[in-house]
Amino acid sequence: MPKLRQKTLGAFACTALLILASGSASADENENEGILGTGEGNESRSDGLHAEANRVERNESGNLVSVDWSIANETDSDLALTWLYEQETYTYNGNFYSGVTAVDSETDTRYHPLMDQAGECVCAGNISGQFYERVVSGGKSAYWSLFSVPSDVETLTLEVPGFEPIEDIPID
């Protein structure tokens, strides 16, 4: 039974990664379209940056929510985003932007990115096809996260470390 469960979880994680990877590309292609909300940098390390929620979708089963988000750099320098690795609740294997969380404002419930059977975050990270640890001056880099959220939750607040929360994002 445990081997069957591992194979099922592995297939689930691979399917989710493929679906989300294609979604992240569309966020990159439509830089100025589809911005659902923004959060300005609120720390010295994120000064001149802003986080954007670009797309939030629920799967057909209703239990998973994928979030495409990006960081825009309005400074004169390329900046590293290594602080987004910080995650105090769970210990994920590898470098992932697992510090990003979703919150149901009505119940004040916080959702952390999913973790697969290998302990890796099901979110933007070093296994992603296009993983940007730096945002170039004047540029924008796209990322994604996958959360398990109850089907009755209709909006989320996205919390990206170092930025103001992006509130009341509708789930498609």
Side-chain angles (χ1 to χ4, degrees), residues 22-33 54-55 68-70 140 142-143:
S22 65
S24 293
S26 68
D28 242 359
E29 293 166 4
N30 300 316
E31 281 186 83
N32 299 322
E33 297 178 23
N54 303 107
R55 185 173 77 171
D68 290 348
W69 53 279
S70 57
K140 184 186 298 188
Y143 307 97

Side-chain angles (χ1 to χ4, degrees), residues 51-114:
E52 298 174 349
N54 303 107
R55 185 173 77 171
V56 180
E57 287 187 340
R58 186 180 303 279
N59 69 345
E60 288 184 24
S61 300
N63 62 331
L64 300 175
V65 172
S66 65
V67 179
D68 290 348
W69 53 279
S70 57
I71 303 293
N73 180 355
E74 298 172 353
T75 71
D76 294 332
S77 304
D78 296 355
L79 297 173
L81 302 174
T82 54
W83 77 86
L84 292 175
Y85 297 155
E86 297 172 9
Q87 172 48 264
E88 296 176 8
T89 304
Y90 298 108
T91 303
Y92 297 92
N93 293 329
N95 292 333
F96 296 94
Y97 287 170
S98 56
V100 176
T101 58
V103 177
D104 175 0
S105 300
E106 289 186 27
T107 63
D108 205 28
T109 303
R110 178 176 310 282
Y111 302 98
H112 297 272
L114 292 176

